[in-house]
Amino acid sequence: MNGCVFSKFAFLILYLLLGVANGADRPNVLLLTVDTFRPDRLSGQGNARKTSPYLDQLGQDGVVFEQAMSSTSWTTPGLLSVLTGLYAPTHAVDVRGKSLRSGTETMATLLAKVGYAVPDILYLSSIPNFQNLGLTNSFVERDQYLPNGDEVLFRALETYRDSTFFLYYHYRNLHLPYKPSEAYERLYTPEGFDRSAFVRDKVETVQSNVTIPQGSVRFDEKDREWILGLYDGQIREMDETLFKPLVAKLKELGLYENTLVIVTADHGEELLEHGFIGHPSTSFKGSAYDELLHIPLMMSYPNGLPQNMRIGQQVQNVDILPTVLDLLKLPIPPTLQGRSLMPLILGTSDVELPAFTETTPGGYQATPEMMKTRIRAMRTSLWKLIHTHGPGIDTYELYDLKNDPKEYDNVIDQHPEVAEKMRVALHQWVLATQPTILTAPASGGVVPTEPISVLFPAQGDTFRYEDVGKTVSVRWTGPQDGLYSLEYRVGEGSYYLEGAMQIVGNAPQYGPFTDEMWNMLALYNPWSFRITVDGKPELSSSWVQFTIVPTQDAAPPSVWTMALVSLLFWWGELGLLFKGLGLGVLDFVRLAGGIPLVDIVSGALFLALICGICQPLYVRMGEARAKAWVLVIVYTLFIYSTLSVMPSIWRTLWGHTQGRIDLVGGLVTVLALVFFLGLIFIKKLRWPALVGLFVLGAVYGWLLLLLGTSPAERLHLAEYGLLGYFAYRALVLDFSPSKALLLAWGVAIVLGTGDESLQWILPMRVFEWKDIGLNALSSGLGLLIVALFQFGSSKQD
């Protein structure tokens, strides 16, 4: 500890006396971001496997931030927060198809102003999300080397070795699919992990798909070992094929000592911590848990940073740009939302600030509906508050990170005072980070000398969404490039917030906003603000109050219009569903058409032989009894046979229906409800039976919600209820209805246990007692419905 303190003190003295990165002696800057990168899988940050010896060494040559957090959980906004020092709501590239506003300061534009070469070697540059970064087309060989893996980076280092350069390179190969090359694929995976046909389907899915929608594959806890093995294998491959030669190249070119190398990530990756794998753009499952937000961050610069330093305070990716500018002795624009981490490095401050984040449920792949939802979070070292807000959802989660670091237990009901304090701070952050457009960018921050008057809006004005161009604009008197403070008081009761933010210019414009965001702002009515000048209260304007009118209040649609819109929406959704199911049937027909004729004939002969052997038994049992038991046997074999093929079928239908296959559950529920209502009318059930059906319906509804992340378990809920009914139909031919119900439940439990036992007998399948319990519960619920109709009817058959 004393040695570390002495090292910090010595570095501080050198930093202050000699200066770091002054004038023409400024270092090169090499920024490396890695897609989908978790720090806990590095051998230097807790992984017992030796996954990253060369990257670990790079970290030992500089500073490692052990608690770095991303501003989001998917790629685009995370990378742009690194490059701009702005949160996602402010840089506004928070969904696909958006571009950074022209004129936004970035790491490239700020370094170019002081003479850095800023060539574009980024493969992402061609898509809208990564326009206007300030990178230039000066590296003419870029397109020649881009297709060849990391070659473009090494060629650029050679080309610009005699320049002072800023190079930005993004490494993608940790992203799904998890498919390290052959030398690394089995380095950490368990022996025989792909021997079973069951687990092989999962492995092939993980190794061949860029996106794996939540629910399309059922992962179990025992899958974690081989998933981590594949992911760790990719990290080891990256370490040996990128970081090892990179450090060697920098040393070979004489650049290592005077190059600031920054390694970080866009976001993390879920690896079964909350039941699935991936992140919003791959799983359509947005969240703000730490496995998605915790990222690596290390900075190496032998000539200007201390070595082998680890910093445990929480920091964010928006802090990277101001830190670079501070280290290079360049001014930090006041518009940046991050802070310089140099005080932490120098030991002159140990202040830890809250981290904030915002994401959408689907990331780059988000549907229009998903784009209307935001998942926001505020994190301290002790607590995390998560707010999910969108159409039909407005929920909060609170996690005690000290006692529950994996974020499994939502304790918001136990700590309402903590939740309320964080809720206010989170909403204040949301309001403070909306996009700002300065009509007259500052050229020096002139201090006003005359009293200020607000020109727009007028006292009592109302802002309607379309009328104001979906923006909130304010104007006041004073120099166009003046430096002001905008003080605000908004909302009432639990929505009350107050604060201030610095503004450069006298005509800021906030927005344009989505209608969802506009309606959220309307929750904070009334809005009051005034303009002040720091240190000169006599120049302050009067308070002005205005109201934001929700979009639905501007022109409320009629009930018939809403019904028509809903009908058209669901007609379109169901159209996609049925079209996809039709394509699935065609796939099956094509598959069946490819079966050789000899296989069809031999199969038919085998079936005829079985029928012939069973004919005496069929006659002895009687036609009705035989048909009933044949149905039980065939249906059970069907359930068993789908174990290995259902994931493939589900993935195929997901693709054909564009994800609308999820609507099947709701559609079946509606049809079942109509069926049972008709049956209730026909059977004329007595009121106790009706009450029982209502209770069973509530139980089914609760189970459907509980199993919402597992279509496979939802399917079991239906299929074993039906199996119990088929068994009852067979048994009631020989036993009383009450005894037949009990025996049918026993048969269904035995068959359900056999279903799950296959997963215990076969290698690498997951056997769980809860699945046997679910099968028993499902068949029992189905048979309870049968009992209610059997004994609760006032109409005798």
Side-chain angles (χ1 to χ4, degrees):
M1 177 61 72
N2 290 336
C4 180
V5 172
F6 178 78
S7 175
K8 279 189 176 183
F9 180 74
F11 176 71
L12 175 60
I13 295 298
L14 288 173
Y15 183 87
L16 295 176
L17 291 180
L18 302 178
V20 175
N22 50 60
D25 197 32
R26 289 192 177 105
N28 304 302
V29 178
L30 174 57
L31 172 63
L32 291 159
T33 54
V34 179
D35 209 309
T36 314
F37 195 11
R38 287 177 52 145
D40 63 328
R41 304 316 301 169
L42 295 174
S43 48
Q45 297 194 46
N47 192 350
R49 295 167 172 166
K50 193 176 181 180
T51 55
S52 53
Y54 299 103
L55 184 55
D56 296 340
Q57 183 57 56
L58 185 67
Q60 288 174 10
D61 287 346
V63 183
V64 174
F65 297 90
E66 297 176 326
Q67 285 296 316
M69 296 290 157
S70 178
S71 61
T72 188
S73 53
W74 68 282
T75 300
T76 294
L79 294 183
L80 288 179
S81 287
V82 172
L83 294 167
T84 65
L86 303 174
Y87 289 106
T90 304
H91 66 60
V93 190
D94 54 352
V95 295
R96 68 177 176 275
K98 289 188 175 183
S99 297
L100 203 62
R101 294 186 301 277
S102 180
T104 302
E105 298 281 27
T106 69
M107 196 176 297
T109 62
L110 291 168
L111 295 183
K113 288 179 180 179
V114 294
Y116 277 74
V118 290
D120 182 4
I121 60 171
L122 184 66
Y123 77 91
L124 294 167
S125 297
S126 59
I127 67 175
N129 283 167
F130 293 93
Q131 301 293 302
N132 302 327
L133 296 182
L135 301 170
T136 66
N137 296 323
S138 57
F139 187 39
V140 294
E141 296 91 353
R142 170 186 181 273
D143 292 344
Q144 174 186 344
Y145 300 128
L146 265 182
N148 304 326
D150 305 320
E151 184 180 3
V152 67
L153 172 60
F154 293 96
R155 296 285 188 173
L157 287 171
E158 293 171 352
T159 301
Y160 292 92
R161 61 185 297 181
D162 296 323
S163 308
T164 304
F165 60 76
F166 165 65
L167 290 177
Y168 171 44
Y169 185 70
H170 183 63
Y171 181 90
R172 187 188 180 279
N173 290 358
L174 295 191
H175 193 283
L176 273 169
Y178 304 153
K179 192 170 178 60
S181 59
E182 187 175 352
Y184 303 93
E185 183 179 23
R186 295 179 178 272
L187 197 60
Y188 304 116
T189 51
E191 185 66 27
F193 77 99
D194 62 347
R195 288 179 181 174
S196 161
F198 296 102
V199 78
R200 185 165 60 243
D201 284 343
K202 296 183 185 181
V203 174
E204 289 174 354
T205 299
V206 169
Q207 293 199 297
S208 60
N209 288 278
V210 175
T211 61
I212 303 176
Q214 181 190 12
S216 61
V217 179
R218 178 186 171 187
F219 292 108
D220 300 289
E221 184 60 31
K222 291 183 180 179
D223 291 319
R224 183 189 299 272
E225 189 175 358
W226 61 263
I227 289 173
L228 288 177
L230 292 174
Y231 185 84
D232 286 354
Q234 292 184 148
I235 291 181
R236 182 63 178 269
E237 182 172 10
M238 173 184 69
D239 192 60
E240 295 199 4
T241 62
L242 174 61
F243 288 106
K244 178 182 178 181
L246 174 63
V247 172
K249 175 62 72 173
L250 289 170
K251 291 180 177 179
E252 173 195 328
L253 297 175
L255 300 172
Y256 187 71
E257 299 294 320
N258 199 46
T259 297
L260 169 60
V261 180
I262 305 165
V263 180
T264 189
D266 48 2
H267 53 79
E269 182 85 332
E270 181 184 346
L271 298 173
L272 296 187
E273 284 77 12
H274 287 86
F276 211 65
I277 65 171
H279 55 276
S281 295
T282 65
S283 64
F284 299 96
K285 178 194 175 187
S287 75
Y289 299 124
D290 272 7
E291 60 264 20
L292 292 180
L293 300 179
H294 190 194
I295 57 174
L297 176 57
M298 56 183 69
M299 299 180 180
S300 171
Y301 171 27
N303 282 352
L305 284 176
Q307 295 189 2
N308 201 24
M309 176 179 287
R310 289 179 174 261
I311 293 177
Q313 285 94 337
Q314 176 175 269
V315 301
Q316 279 207 267
N317 57 358
V318 292
D319 300 331
I320 294 173
L321 177 53
T323 303
V324 171
L325 297 176
D326 197 5
L327 181 60
L328 302 184
K329 299 294 186 181
L330 296 173
I332 301 174
T335 52
L336 299 194
Q337 293 166 323
R339 57 160 176 164
S340 171
L341 301 178
M342 287 305 297
L344 289 177
I345 296 171
L346 296 172
T348 58
S349 171
D350 61 356
V351 174
E352 181 174 88
L353 298 179
F356 294 94
T357 185
E358 177 183 285
T359 193
T360 59
Y364 195 84
Q365 313 292 340
T367 64
E369 285 301 305
M370 290 177 180
M371 290 183 185
K372 297 177 182 178
T373 298
R374 291 293 183 274
I375 303 165
R376 302 182 177 99
M378 174 185 177
R379 187 190 191 280
T380 70
S381 57
L382 298 177
W383 299 95
K384 180 189 283 184
L385 181 75
I386 300 174
H387 180 208
T388 303
H389 183 269
I393 185 169
D394 189 5
T395 62
Y396 289 88
E397 304 164 59
L398 179 69
Y399 295 97
D400 179 350
L401 298 180
K402 181 179 179 180
N403 297 309
D404 178 28
K406 297 294 185 181
E407 300 166 275
Y408 292 148
D409 186 17
N410 180 8
V411 294
I412 195 164
D413 292 335
Q414 292 92 312
H415 300 279
E417 71 291 343
V418 175
E420 177 60 17
K421 184 178 179 180
M422 295 184 74
R423 185 197 67 78
V424 171
L426 178 60
H427 281 237
Q428 192 159 0
W429 173 82
V430 171
L431 296 176
T433 54
Q434 294 310 302
T436 304
I437 301 173
L438 300 177
T439 56
S443 58
V446 176
V447 178
T449 58
E450 299 292 330
I452 298 166
S453 297
V454 174
L455 301 175
F456 180 83
Q459 178 68 24
D461 270 0
T462 56
F463 286 3
R464 297 182 184 275
Y465 191 54
E466 297 294 344
D467 294 347
V468 295
K470 308 177 183 179
T471 64
V472 174
S473 301
V474 290
R475 298 193 305 273
W476 56 84
T477 60
Q480 289 186 348
D481 54 357
L483 182 62
Y484 306 90
S485 288
L486 188 152
E487 296 182 1
Y488 58 86
R489 298 172 183 165
V490 300
E492 296 174 338
S494 60
Y495 280 93
Y496 178 77
L497 295 173
E498 63 178 73
M501 51 187 174
Q502 278 202 327
I503 303 290
V504 180
N506 63 353
Q509 177 178 297
Y510 301 90
F513 300 105
T514 64
D515 55 354
E516 178 267 337
M517 189 65 215
W518 183 269
N519 288 328
M520 198 202 83
L521 295 178
L523 296 174
Y524 291 87
N525 284 325
W527 290 69
S528 300
F529 75 98
R530 71 172 179 174
I531 308 302
T532 66
V533 179
D534 289 348
K536 298 185 177 182
E538 69 277 7
L539 302 183
S540 301
S541 74
S542 301
W543 286 90
V544 174
Q545 186 178 102
F546 63 92
T547 303
I548 294 177
V549 180
T551 55
Q552 61 266 28
D553 291 350
S558 67
V559 173
W560 292 109
T561 300
M562 290 296 293
L564 179 60
V565 169
S566 298
L567 180 63
L568 290 173
F569 172 77
W570 285 110
W571 180 257
E573 296 291 287
L574 292 175
L576 288 171
L577 171 64
F578 290 125
K579 178 183 175 182
L581 292 175
L583 291 173
V585 171
L586 290 177
D587 281 348
F588 177 78
V589 171
R590 281 194 292 268
L591 183 64
I595 300 175
L597 181 61
V598 64
D599 290 347
I600 296 175
V601 173
S602 60
L605 289 174
F606 178 76
L607 183 61
L609 178 64
I610 294 297
C611 290
I613 294 172
C614 295
Q615 179 65 19
L617 180 62
Y618 179 86
V619 172
R620 191 178 305 118
M621 292 179 67
E623 182 178 357
R625 190 176 289 104
K627 285 183 177 180
W629 281 109
V630 165
L631 180 59
V632 172
I633 293 169
V634 170
Y635 184 68
T636 302
L637 291 175
F638 169 76
I639 293 175
Y640 284 21
S641 68
T642 60
L643 280 173
S644 60
V645 301
M646 188 54 71
S648 298
I649 293 173
W650 189 266
R651 287 195 300 273
T652 300
L653 291 178
W654 180 282
H656 284 325
T657 63
Q658 300 178 43
R660 273 66 176 188
I661 188 66
D662 276 351
L663 298 177
V664 168
L667 188 60
V668 170
T669 301
V670 171
L671 293 176
L673 183 61
V674 171
F675 171 77
F676 283 119
L677 287 175
L679 204 57
I680 288 170
F681 177 77
I682 294 172
K683 291 285 189 176
K684 296 183 179 179
L685 292 187
R686 302 183 185 95
W687 72 263
L690 289 174
V691 172
L693 280 177
F694 177 81
V695 172
L696 282 176
V699 172
Y700 265 107
W702 176 74
L703 285 172
L704 286 171
L705 291 174
L706 184 67
L707 304 175
T709 59
S710 178
E713 291 183 343
R714 277 184 167 186
L715 186 62
H716 277 216
L717 191 63
E719 65 188 7
Y720 275 92
L722 190 57
L723 177 61
Y725 171 66
F726 288 157
Y728 168 77
R729 285 187 57 194
L731 288 163
V732 79
L733 296 174
D734 295 299
F735 300 96
S736 67
S738 56
K739 184 175 288 188
L741 284 167
L742 290 174
L743 290 173
W745 192 28
V747 169
I749 290 174
V750 169
L751 295 176
T753 303
D755 182 358
E756 299 304 325
S757 296
L758 285 175
Q759 303 181 57
W760 174 66
I761 297 170
L762 296 173
M764 293 307 296
R765 280 297 287 178
V766 177
F767 172 83
E768 294 184 287
W769 286 105
K770 74 173 182 63
D771 291 334
I772 292 179
L774 179 63
N775 293 344
L777 177 63
S778 303
S779 55
L781 289 174
L783 288 168
L784 279 175
I785 293 175
V786 173
L788 288 172
F789 279 103
Q790 177 69 39
F791 300 110
S793 174
S794 60
K795 180 179 180 180
Q796 301 301 316
D797 293 329

